[in-house]
Structures are given as C-alpha cells and as structure tokens.
Amino acid sequence: MRRRLHLIALVLFVLTLGYDLVVWGALPRLPGIGAQIAVSARHEAPLATTYIVLGAPLDAALPALQAFGERRLAAAFAEGFAELDEEATAAMDVIFNSTWNAQHRWLKLMYWAPPLLLVLTLLLWSRKPKQVRMFSGRR
C-alpha cells in the first residue's frame, strides 16, 4: 500500500484541480456579481485567477460544466450576495474571511486542496520505496 500512496495523492490532486477549474472557471459568467468577483480575484488572489483563466475555456467548450460551476457558486454565495455586491472591490477577502453555508465551506476547502495535494504527491513520490534487484536479467 505504501508503494501506491503517491498515486492516490496524484489522483486526488487531479480531481480537486478539475473541480476547481470547472467551478472557478464559471465565475466570470455568474449572473450578477461574477464579473466583479473575477476582477477582485485578479487583484487579490493569484490562485483563483489561475483557476479562472484555465477553467473558463473548459467551461466555454462544455456548457454542462459551465452550468455545474454556476450552480455550485450560486449555492455557495447565496447568503453572501448582498455583502459581495457591497464590497465588490474586495470580494475575495469577503469570500475567504467568512463562511455562509456548507457549500461555501466546501468551496474554500477545495480551493486550497490542489496546492497541498501537489506538495504531498511530490513528497510521497520522492519517499516511495525503491525496488531492489539482487540479480539482474543480463550478464
């Protein structure tokens, strides 16, 4: 099992990164405040900007992913729309300094998961047990 931990961490990294690309890539097209939050992300959050820039073409190519991302964002921000609208220039601060519901908590957890899982994957890969051969097949 220990020999495969780096693969498990890699799969988790890919899944969380894919989720973030789909959800944050849908942000600019979120009705109402999406464009304002995207501008705030460009100024305050390089990781969110990366997710938005890489995820927007993916969402544009597959409308079902765009709809999924918009639903997740709308559910996460539902109780904070008024606050986000008031603080449009500092929307990323508002998003990450408060928790409105379980979906919002999940969104924030998934936001930080890919960088942490990437570091964990590299660490586990560098520490994986190496195969030792006593006798080689060649002479």
Side-chain angles (χ1 to χ4, degrees):
M1 179 68 180
R2 185 171 177 226
R3 293 172 44 191
R4 306 271 188 245
L5 285 178
H6 68 286
L7 294 175
I8 294 169
L10 179 64
V11 168
L12 289 174
F13 165 72
V14 169
L15 290 174
T16 58
L17 181 63
Y19 176 86
D20 282 332
L21 292 179
V22 168
V23 172
W24 287 95
L27 183 69
R29 293 185 180 164
L30 185 67
I33 59 170
Q36 296 169 341
I37 297 172
V39 169
S40 174
R42 265 186 250 124
H43 296 293
E44 300 177 53
L47 185 58
T49 302
T50 303
Y51 293 152
I52 292 167
V53 168
L54 295 177
L58 178 66
D59 285 345
L62 299 168
L65 294 180
Q66 174 73 33
F68 172 79
E70 286 179 6
R71 283 193 311 270
R72 296 300 297 175
L73 289 170
F77 299 156
E79 292 145 22
F81 274 130
E83 190 176 354
L84 286 169
D85 197 28
E86 287 175 14
E87 299 290 332
T89 58
M92 293 308 288
D93 283 337
V94 173
I95 290 170
F96 286 105
N97 289 332
S98 58
T99 301
W100 297 304
N101 53 36
Q103 290 89 1
H104 187 232
R105 187 175 292 116
W106 180 255
L107 184 74
K108 292 191 310 185
L109 173 74
M110 293 298 281
Y111 177 85
W112 291 111
L116 296 175
L117 286 169
L118 179 61
V119 170
L120 180 65
T121 300
L122 294 173
L123 180 68
L124 290 172
W125 179 77
S126 70
R127 308 251 324 141
K128 75 178 182 175
K130 307 296 185 239
Q131 185 176 6
V132 177
R133 295 184 183 196
M134 296 271 299
F135 303 104
S136 68
R138 300 174 132 180
R139 288 193 177 201

